[in-house]
Amino acid sequence: MVRAIVGANWGDEGKGKITDMFAEQSDIVIRFQGGANAGHTIINNYGKFALHQLPSGVCFDHTTNIIGNGVAIDIPRLMKEIESVKAGGVPEVNILVSERCQIMMPYHVLFDTYEEERLAKNAFGSTKSGIAPFYSDKYAKIGFQICELFDEEYLKDKLTRVLEVKNLILENIYHKPTLDVEEVFATLIEYREMIKPYVCNTTKLVREAIKEGKTILLEGQLGSLKDPDHGIYPMVTSSSTLAGYGAVGAGIPPYEIKDICVVSKAYSSAVGAGEFVSEIFGDEAQEMRLHGGDAGEFGATTGRPRRMGWFDCVATRYGIEAQGATQVVLTALDCLSYLDEIKVCVAYDINGEITKDFPVTPVLKHCKPVLVTMPGWKCNIRGITEFDKLPKEAQDYVNFIEKEIGAKITYVSNGPKREEIIKR
Ligand code: GDP
Ligand code: MG
């Protein structure tokens, strides 16, 4: 059985915790898109881990963790991450990497940084992990798959051709130092030696696992609204964040994905630039930020403060539909316990016209949130494991959202720890 765990919104919905929870009963966990630019937080008996590239099943010794072909693999950062997970006390790190996975080249981070520098105030708010240059090169067919590192003659020849154009850009557009073929080649050989023990034909392995009836989890990064096609283009990420892409990025037949578990947070947060209709600002935002997540809403990779907002039913329903949700998990309900009143965005006002349909980006810019106010519950709800035991206001809040988003909320998470969860 293949289950995808993906985000409904702008990312950081708490997918890490939910993947970790489901990973316990899974044989294989696969990352199928994105790269080292996002962070998933999991808290378990070994402690707290901010994972960037490693799949969230990495703390279990019975799960095989796969970095699929759709991922942008940053080899040195992956090595560091493996070391830090081991240093955190995890005895066995079972990780495999697809031989078709493409490599974050040493110059991709440079190009990301230079381009954001050039754009200055129009920058995308990139994490400067090299993701956009990486995927541009992948689709321009000047990227490098891991398997290409094993034929040195071919590799040097291709690298020479690719660096020719890279150097033209570095010199003439960014006015920066150029790249040396021998140096980059040597770095790639180092990368190859580092990654070698983990590389295999993961597609074959996964297909066999499906035949044997194994339980497989696909772990998404970011959320629907950051999808390059269906999100808030151009303020999106560079690889598809949708469960459907899991078939491509993990090498699985689309019809095998039986369960699409979409994660959404009880309030909104976003990083980077881009449309965010229900956003709040100033002290109100700071208060929500400090109450959010397990230690405030600050980026797991970058540490930067996340933008905050009320739960957005319009964006979330759209995000859930884009994923094709079979179930929804609502996380971080406990983070709202401090509020006397909770606002929820139920529609958008486009110059006087009210809509519940999430519009395209140029229209989104003109949307104002239509908010309803609900009473808060003002008490600690962490660790409650039965829905009926929640204060009535909290139950009403969840039921209200469920109705607005039009999908079944099967779990409510009310704390960052694994056991802080309500199954409905
Ligand atoms: P991801 O990128 O979707 O995996 O989410 P992140 O891990 O980046 O951000 C979610 C944050 O919320 C992390 O700090 C989690 O530890 C935390 N978190 C997840 N679920 C809950 C919850 O139910 N309650 C609280 N208080 N924090 C949660
Ligand atoms: Mg995150």
Side-chain angles (χ1 to χ4, degrees), residues 268-324:
S268 302
S269 76
V271 290
E275 280 56 45
F276 183 0
V277 176
S278 66
E279 186 169 11
I280 54 174
F281 303 91
D283 292 345
E284 194 182 27
Q286 180 63 1
E287 208 181 1
M288 187 186 270
R289 185 176 297 122
L290 293 174
H291 282 97
D294 69 300
E297 287 285 355
F298 299 91
T301 305
T302 56
R304 55 184 177 172
R306 290 175 180 155
R307 297 163 65 195
M308 307 301 298
W310 301 113
F311 188 88
D312 184 337
C313 299
V314 179
T316 308
R317 181 166 64 87
Y318 174 80
I320 283 170
E321 285 172 2
Q323 294 288 10

Side-chain angles (χ1 to χ4, degrees), residues 11-18 38-43 48 56 219 222 263 265 267 291-298 300 306 330-335 382 412-417 420:
D12 303 321
E13 297 94 346
K15 296 178 297 292
K17 169 183 164 164
I18 305 307
H40 292 184
T41 315
I42 58 174
I43 300 175
K48 176 174 165 171
S56 294
E219 178 177 23
L222 293 166
V263 185
K265 209 153 49 177
Y267 52 92
H291 282 97
D294 69 300
E297 287 285 355
F298 299 91
R306 290 175 180 155
L330 190 71
T331 63
L333 187 67
D334 57 299
C335 299
R382 266 182 75 169
V412 177
S413 172
N414 59 347
K417 298 216 183 92
E420 291 169 326

Side-chain angles (χ1 to χ4, degrees), residues 211-222:
K211 274 196 203 121
E212 288 162 16
K214 296 263 167 69
T215 308
I216 298 169
L217 274 191
L218 300 177
E219 178 177 23
Q221 184 207 45
L222 293 166

Side-chain angles (χ1 to χ4, degrees), residues 82-384:
I82 293 174
E83 281 317 307
S84 79
V85 168
K86 280 188 185 156
V90 177
E92 215 180 322
V93 178
N94 300 318
I95 175 96
L96 295 174
V97 178
S98 164
E99 60 194 356
R100 290 179 183 273
C101 195
Q102 291 208 13
I103 312 153
M104 184 62 70
M105 296 293 277
Y107 47 80
H108 282 145
V109 174
L110 291 177
F111 275 86
D112 207 350
T113 311
Y114 296 159
E115 182 58 11
E116 290 277 291
E117 238 173 73
R118 191 187 68 78
L119 289 166
K121 72 171 179 38
N122 295 320
F124 287 90
S126 154
T127 56
K128 302 189 183 75
S129 306
I131 300 295
F134 168 95
Y135 282 105
S136 312
D137 281 2
K138 176 171 175 175
Y139 294 108
K141 296 167 288 185
I142 52 170
F144 292 83
Q145 291 189 333
I146 288 176
C147 54
E148 292 179 284
L149 298 177
F150 292 88
D151 182 339
E152 295 194 9
E153 200 180 316
Y154 162 87
L155 180 65
K156 189 170 279 176
D157 185 55
K158 178 169 167 185
L159 191 63
T160 308
R161 280 184 285 116
V162 171
L163 290 193
E164 228 171 74
V165 57
K166 293 290 168 200
N167 281 337
L168 280 171
I169 299 170
L170 284 171
E171 221 176 328
N172 299 298
I173 296 180
Y174 298 125
H175 311 292
K176 300 283 184 188
T178 55
L179 298 159
D180 178 66
V181 176
E182 292 304 326
E183 237 172 76
V184 178
F185 180 77
T187 306
L188 290 183
I189 297 304
E190 276 173 37
Y191 284 6
R192 182 186 73 194
E193 294 310 304
M194 287 181 212
I195 204 69
K196 214 180 199 168
Y198 307 99
V199 181
C200 70
N201 180 351
T202 55
T203 310
K204 184 166 177 226
L205 188 143
V206 171
R207 289 193 184 150
E208 277 162 10
I210 291 174
K211 274 196 203 121
E212 288 162 16
K214 296 263 167 69
T215 308
I216 298 169
L217 274 191
L218 300 177
E219 178 177 23
Q221 184 207 45
L222 293 166
S224 303
L225 305 176
K226 291 283 187 179
D227 184 74
D229 284 84
H230 297 280
I232 50 171
Y233 191 84
M235 296 305 183
V236 293
T237 193
S238 306
S239 64
S240 176
T241 56
L242 302 183
Y245 187 72
V248 179
I252 285 176
Y255 55 79
E256 293 290 352
I257 306 174
K258 303 289 186 215
D259 186 15
I260 299 171
C261 176
V262 182
V263 185
S264 187
K265 209 153 49 177
Y267 52 92
S268 302
S269 76
V271 290
E275 280 56 45
F276 183 0
V277 176
S278 66
E279 186 169 11
I280 54 174
F281 303 91
D283 292 345
E284 194 182 27
Q286 180 63 1
E287 208 181 1
M288 187 186 270
R289 185 176 297 122
L290 293 174
H291 282 97
D294 69 300
E297 287 285 355
F298 299 91
T301 305
T302 56
R304 55 184 177 172
R306 290 175 180 155
R307 297 163 65 195
M308 307 301 298
W310 301 113
F311 188 88
D312 184 337
C313 299
V314 179
T316 308
R317 181 166 64 87
Y318 174 80
I320 283 170
E321 285 172 2
Q323 294 288 10
T326 52
Q327 56 173 325
V328 174
V329 177
L330 190 71
T331 63
L333 187 67
D334 57 299
C335 299
L336 298 178
S337 299
Y338 75 97
L339 286 158
D340 295 318
E341 288 183 331
I342 307 171
K343 295 197 174 95
V344 186
C345 172
V346 292
Y348 293 169
D349 180 335
I350 313 167
N351 303 320
E353 187 201 322
I354 307 295
T355 182
K356 288 196 179 224
D357 292 330
F358 192 76
V360 291
T361 316
V363 178
L364 204 51
K365 290 185 205 303
H366 304 290
C367 291
K368 302 266 177 313
V370 177
L371 299 167
V372 298
T373 304
M374 301 190 69
W377 45 90
K378 294 287 275 182
C379 63
N380 184 8
I381 58 166
R382 266 182 75 169
I384 294 176

Side-chain angles (χ1 to χ4, degrees), residues 30-105:
I30 312 176
R31 288 281 305 264
F32 62 89
Q33 43 91 218
N37 56 330
H40 292 184
T41 315
I42 58 174
I43 300 175
N44 56 31
N45 19 354
Y46 297 112
K48 176 174 165 171
F49 299 90
L51 303 176
H52 305 293
Q53 297 183 79
L54 286 173
S56 294
V58 77
C59 294
F60 296 107
D61 52 15
H62 67 273
T63 49
T64 301
N65 294 277
I66 295 179
I67 298 187
N69 56 276
V71 173
I73 191 173
D74 186 324
I75 294 174
R77 282 174 76 174
L78 179 69
M79 294 304 126
K80 281 209 197 98
E81 214 179 310
I82 293 174
E83 281 317 307
S84 79
V85 168
K86 280 188 185 156
V90 177
E92 215 180 322
V93 178
N94 300 318
I95 175 96
L96 295 174
V97 178
S98 164
E99 60 194 356
R100 290 179 183 273
C101 195
Q102 291 208 13
I103 312 153
M104 184 62 70
M105 296 293 277

